[in-house]
Amino acid sequence: MSLNSAWFVLLAFTLAVYAILDGFDLGLGAIHLRLGRTRQERERLIDTIGPVWNGNEVWLLAAGGSMVVAFPNLYAASFSGFYLALMLVLWLLLLRGLGIEFRHQIHHPMWEDAWDVVFALSSALLALLFGVALANVLRGVPLDDTGVFRGTFTVLLNPFSLLGGVLSVSTLALHGACWAALRTDGDLQLRARRFASMLWTPSALLLLAVIAASFVVRPGFAGNFTRHPILFAFPLAAAAALASNRVSIARHQDRRAFIASSAYIAGVLGSVAAGLYPTLLPASGSGTPLDIYNAAAPPQSLRIAMVVYLAGLAIVSVYLVAVYRVWKGKAGAVYR
Amino acid sequence: MPDAVIAARWQFAFTIMFHYLFPILTMGLGVLIAVFKTIELRTGNPQHGIAARFWARIFAITFAAGVVTGIPMEFQFGTNWARFSRYAGPVVGQTLFMEGVFAFFAESSLLGVFLFGEGRIGRRAHWLAAVGVALGAVLSGYFIVATNAWMQHPVAYRAAGDHVELTSLWGLLTNPYLRWQYPHVISGSMVTASMVVAGIGAFYLLARRHEETARVFVRVGVVSAALFSLLSLFPTGAFHGENITRFQPAKMAAMEGVFRTREGAPLAIIGMPDTERQELMDPIYVPGILSYLAYGNFSARVTGLNDIPKDLHPPIEIVYYAYHIMVGLGTIFIAVTAAAAFFLWRGTLFDRRGMLWILMLTMPFPYVANEAGWVVAEVGRQPWTVYGLLRVADSSSTNVTAGMTYFTLFGFMGLYLVLGILYLLLFARIVDEGPREQP
């Protein structure tokens, strides 16, 4: 495998880890106002992500960092091109972080309710925007012949990308409900399981709709799959994980259900990456798409960064395991 | 310079100066918390454990504010400075990326363990988490300052058409410019954190609240502040100054208000630069000192602005005044902390209410000094983004208009105003509530 391809895999991997990890706390945020009936219940839900959300979000920064170092042209083109959309994402990330960290600082109903709403709305909107972004990457965006984005914010809000956004919200909400079922007990746990089984069907139907629509907006998408049938492993794994998720929720196997929803997210993102390769950002018009060659940094930069990344990944895995081990089991009150 | 570039500069200056208010404190505070935990572990003195717990709460809200205001920085390289990212990404991406995977991951994962883990994990493991958080914070600063140092003094690169290529990671990480810039930045952060710790301790003593813990704050804070105030001047400040003279003569000339090249240059203690007449108005000079500071020789030749092309002059007044504010405040910190340390040594500090008042009121000024220092570093680099290689005017995105940037600048201002008020409110609440005996 060439260095450029290896970086494509690493970028996809980093984004998938981000989607799985920050995905459950975003999803939890999106549903926590409904899931938690009382202020105390909502507090317990936030307690389940309190010690880990920050570490989860670092994966987004790591993905950004790996874009700067490995695909500087992709980074420059997409970040300047999606200017307003990204600023919106930034402000939402800002508000959401404040919602989690500042909520428990003052014990007053108004204060807590206000931050709960901020946390819920910003989480849901972020889930939506991430889905919109991914769908736009699938569909292609207006690029000129130097790979610079020439479009406006509203171009990004097309029916296909909005459908992708809704799929993202429902998928992450399902993922978040599975997390809540795993980390809580009593009434809250029962309600989380009920939420998960309620969200399952719409998520599955939305996925089918997005797959069908993909063939319309991007007819060549299946090309990689027909050329290399081994790639069908990704969509098949996603389908199997989704099915296993359903069964596990019904059987009250919370851990298995959460692992399945994680695997499902990985499978879907893996399928998207497999379909796109070697393109990073397709052009919707006649412009030049950005791919792993014309967007990449020079070879020795890729090589050095690869060593750094693999070393970093090894260390990060140790932290991750250690941190999640400290917090395993049902959530206690962490903020007090 | 086109409007869009000006707008992007305003946005960057505003967001980064606001962001830096938080890491200034956390880098130093992480170390002090680790110090408290270490003393607790070695002596079994519970007051140090209480102190660590108290400052961990301040650390948590400061870190959260630092993280949320830090994310826009990484984004802005791409959104507003796309041409810079394309040009320099293969080099500066390395250090930014290393910050993420080596430092920031450690800091944010271990912070959760440290904040919520006391009682859940062993004493030794909790100490280790504190040390990990401190190392993560300080290491984070290293990679960020390394990125900045490369923009100040590019090394270990090869120009290749429309971008640069990295030739040696080791060279990038051991940039000679970084060697004194980084210790100087960390020293400034230690002064800030130490003076905040001592200042809050002084407040408690004056208010006669939590006096036992407050004495621990003041003792550790004053000793550390005195030590690092001195280190900020010498060797870190002095040798960093030598590096600036060597690598960025225009910045040094603007800092010191040297309009004409001369041998045996005097140091201007006060004076107002007049850029029209190209001279310093009403100066008070100490002969020969500037040559000595810059070259270690009283009669050395110091380059003046007259020997530097006009279009390579940084904005002289801003750099000059920012530098003098930093140095003036630094001198005050040395005097204040030396006096406090003397009284501490004599055992009379806790009864000297005047000195405690001074310690409390000095608290905000290290922030001003640190920010002023960065203004010198960044405005002094103008008109370059990457010194000698890429001008600011050629660094901005071509597809982002001034209007878009101003729109988002106002968005940031509104959000940061709310964030700033909330932060101060929570800080005050934690101080008002006071240290807790139990985890």
Side-chain angles (χ1 to χ4, degrees):
Chain A
M1 187 165 33
S2 76
L3 258 176
N4 299 54
S5 304
W7 268 107
F8 180 90
V9 172
L10 273 188
L11 181 58
F13 172 79
T14 313
L15 283 170
V17 175
Y18 171 71
I20 292 169
L21 291 181
D22 210 27
F24 71 73
D25 56 52
L26 282 168
L28 184 92
I31 58 173
H32 97 295
L33 280 183
R34 298 292 311 234
L35 198 51
R37 295 252 167 94
T38 63
R39 204 166 284 122
Q40 286 70 29
E41 283 186 344
R42 291 201 285 273
E43 187 171 295
R44 269 176 66 205
L45 288 170
I46 296 181
D47 282 346
T48 66
I49 62 164
V52 295
W53 77 272
N54 213 329
N56 294 345
E57 212 165 277
V58 180
W59 287 89
L60 181 65
L61 293 185
S66 55
M67 264 165 85
V68 183
V69 71
F71 302 114
N73 292 341
L74 170 71
Y75 175 72
S78 59
F79 275 56
S80 61
F82 302 155
Y83 190 80
L84 292 176
L86 277 172
M87 288 295 175
L88 197 57
V89 165
L90 263 181
W91 295 343
L92 290 168
L93 285 172
L94 234 142
L95 282 171
R96 181 169 169 272
L98 296 180
I100 301 173
E101 291 301 320
F102 284 1
R103 178 195 193 277
H104 58 89
Q105 298 284 352
I106 295 178
H107 299 292
H108 189 280
M110 269 170 63
W111 176 270
E112 291 178 345
D113 287 351
W115 285 116
D116 274 346
V117 171
V118 169
F119 174 55
L121 279 182
S122 52
S123 297
L125 275 173
L126 277 169
L128 181 82
L129 282 173
F130 287 140
V132 167
L134 190 65
N136 272 311
V137 169
L138 243 175
R139 179 176 177 267
V141 294
L143 298 175
D144 68 13
D145 48 12
T146 55
V148 173
F149 177 83
R150 298 286 172 197
T152 59
F153 184 43
T154 45
V155 168
L156 302 176
L157 298 176
N158 48 72
F160 177 69
S161 69
L162 288 173
L163 185 65
V166 177
L167 170 65
S168 162
V169 174
S170 82
T171 302
L172 295 187
L174 170 64
H175 191 42
C178 290
W179 168 261
L182 182 62
R183 286 308 180 96
T184 56
D185 43 25
D187 273 357
L188 207 46
Q189 186 180 34
L190 292 178
R191 218 174 300 135
R193 285 177 186 151
R194 220 164 35 239
F195 246 81
S197 62
M198 207 174 70
L199 284 162
W200 191 89
T201 313
S203 296
L205 291 176
L206 278 164
L207 179 73
L208 291 177
V210 168
I211 293 172
S214 302
F215 283 99
V216 178
V217 298
R218 192 142 207 90
F221 185 74
N224 277 345
F225 291 94
T226 46
R227 272 192 298 279
H228 306 283
I230 180 91
L231 294 178
F232 278 109
F234 287 111
L236 287 177
L242 190 60
S244 152
N245 180 251
R246 166 96 251 183
V247 174
S248 311
I249 293 168
R251 290 186 187 160
H252 293 187
Q253 292 166 326
D254 301 317
R255 170 179 291 274
R256 193 171 283 189
F258 179 70
I259 292 172
S261 67
S262 305
Y264 165 62
I265 291 171
V268 169
L269 293 178
S271 308
V272 173
L276 280 175
Y277 178 88
T279 308
L280 290 162
L281 189 61
S284 59
S286 59
T288 310
L290 290 167
D291 62 32
I292 59 170
Y293 304 104
N294 67 13
Q300 84 281 37
S301 285
L302 292 181
R303 209 171 307 122
I304 293 169
M306 177 67 73
V307 175
V308 168
Y309 192 89
L310 294 177
L313 209 59
I315 300 172
V316 168
S317 314
V318 176
Y319 296 146
L320 262 184
V321 172
V323 169
Y324 279 84
R325 272 177 68 108
V326 171
W327 305 114
K328 72 171 180 227
K330 303 298 175 191
V334 290
Y335 291 122
R336 233 7 51 191
Chain B
M1 205 172 274
D3 285 352
V5 182
I6 305 269
R9 284 175 65 185
W10 272 113
Q11 178 158 326
F12 200 84
F14 172 73
T15 50
I16 201 153
M17 287 183 77
F18 191 83
H19 166 66
Y20 192 55
L21 292 172
F22 306 106
I24 292 179
L25 183 62
T26 49
M27 286 192 293
L29 196 54
V31 174
L32 290 179
I33 291 172
V35 168
F36 285 132
K37 287 300 289 184
T38 308
I39 299 176
E40 186 210 13
L41 197 68
R42 292 186 66 118
T43 65
N45 180 342
Q47 285 304 326
H48 286 88
I50 293 171
R53 210 172 295 133
F54 175 82
W55 288 105
R57 292 172 67 203
I58 301 277
F59 188 98
I61 58 164
T62 315
F63 182 74
V67 172
V68 295
T69 55
I71 300 173
M73 304 321 305
E74 185 184 312
F75 275 57
Q76 268 179 80
F77 288 124
T79 51
N80 291 335
W81 303 98
R83 279 186 293 168
F84 163 73
S85 300
R86 258 196 211 99
Y87 178 82
V91 175
V92 295
Q94 301 283 354
T95 37
L96 289 175
F97 184 53
M98 289 175 88
E99 196 255 345
V101 297
F102 289 140
F104 194 55
F105 261 126
E107 198 179 359
S108 43
S109 318
L110 294 177
L111 182 62
V113 175
F114 177 68
L115 283 179
F116 311 121
E118 199 175 3
R120 214 177 239 261
I121 55 176
R123 272 162 52 88
R124 210 161 264 281
H126 194 241
W127 171 79
L128 210 60
V131 172
V133 171
L135 278 179
V138 170
L139 200 60
S140 212
Y142 176 76
F143 289 121
I144 296 302
V145 179
T147 311
N148 185 268
W150 187 82
M151 292 163 70
Q152 304 283 357
H153 178 62
V155 292
Y157 72 95
R158 180 172 54 222
D162 61 347
H163 64 271
V164 283
E165 300 185 356
L166 180 68
T167 53
S168 150
L169 183 64
W170 183 245
L172 177 66
L173 294 177
T174 55
N175 188 341
Y177 195 89
L178 178 65
R179 247 168 254 167
W180 290 109
Q181 186 191 17
Y182 176 63
H184 192 59
V185 166
I186 290 296
S187 175
S189 170
M190 287 300 302
V191 172
T192 310
S194 312
M195 294 193 75
V196 168
V197 170
I200 297 295
F203 164 70
Y204 282 149
L205 289 177
L206 288 169
R208 303 202 189 287
R209 290 162 64 183
H210 318 292
E211 288 179 73
E212 208 178 337
T213 315
R215 281 194 280 274
V216 171
F217 290 0
V218 172
R219 207 172 292 130
V220 172
V222 162
V223 170
S224 166
L227 176 69
F228 283 98
S229 298
L230 278 175
L231 289 178
S232 294
L233 174 70
F234 189 88
T236 68
F239 287 126
H240 184 41
E242 271 190 20
N243 267 344
I244 295 172
T245 318
R246 191 145 63 106
F247 299 124
Q248 301 184 332
K251 183 190 280 182
M252 178 49 85
M255 280 158 64
E256 299 285 6
V258 182
F259 286 97
R260 267 177 289 281
T261 301
R262 60 181 292 184
E263 284 159 13
L267 182 74
I269 302 291
I270 339 183
M272 291 164 286
D274 182 341
T275 45
E276 298 270 299
R277 289 159 58 194
Q278 295 285 306
E279 64 180 32
L280 213 55
M281 289 163 66
D282 302 331
I284 298 179
Y285 282 127
V286 188
I289 296 292
L290 181 55
S291 289
Y292 182 78
L293 288 179
Y295 294 102
N297 174 349
F298 287 103
S299 55
R301 186 184 169 85
V302 175
T303 310
L305 289 160
N306 63 330
D307 277 339
I308 296 164
K310 263 228 153 109
D311 70 327
L312 295 182
H313 285 189
I316 294 159
E317 295 91 338
I318 300 178
V319 176
Y320 177 89
Y321 286 118
Y323 174 68
H324 281 77
I325 287 171
M326 177 185 78
V327 172
L329 287 174
T331 313
I332 294 173
F333 300 153
I334 291 176
V336 167
T337 55
F342 174 75
F343 294 133
L344 186 69
W345 173 64
R346 293 284 300 272
T348 60
L349 177 61
F350 301 133
D351 306 318
R352 286 188 179 265
R353 298 183 68 81
M355 194 66 231
L356 293 176
W357 269 100
I358 294 174
L359 279 181
M360 186 175 84
L361 294 177
T362 320
M363 233 189 322
F365 292 99
Y367 286 93
V368 179
N370 276 285
E371 293 279 6
W374 275 111
V375 168
V376 176
E378 298 296 276
V379 178
R381 193 189 51 212
Q382 299 293 322
W384 302 103
T385 310
V386 183
Y387 201 78
L389 291 181
L390 182 72
R391 281 175 185 259
V392 174
D394 302 322
S395 307
S396 62
S397 303
T398 50
N399 49 350
V400 173
T401 64
M404 286 155 87
T405 308
Y406 280 121
F407 169 70
T408 52
L409 173 60
F410 290 127
F412 278 119
M413 284 179 164
L415 272 172
Y416 284 6
L417 180 69
V418 175
L419 171 61
I421 292 171
L422 286 175
Y423 175 78
L424 288 177
L425 189 81
L426 293 176
F427 194 110
R429 260 186 65 90
I430 293 174
V431 171
D432 182 48
E433 211 177 291
R436 293 169 176 174
E437 303 280 324
Q438 295 300 321

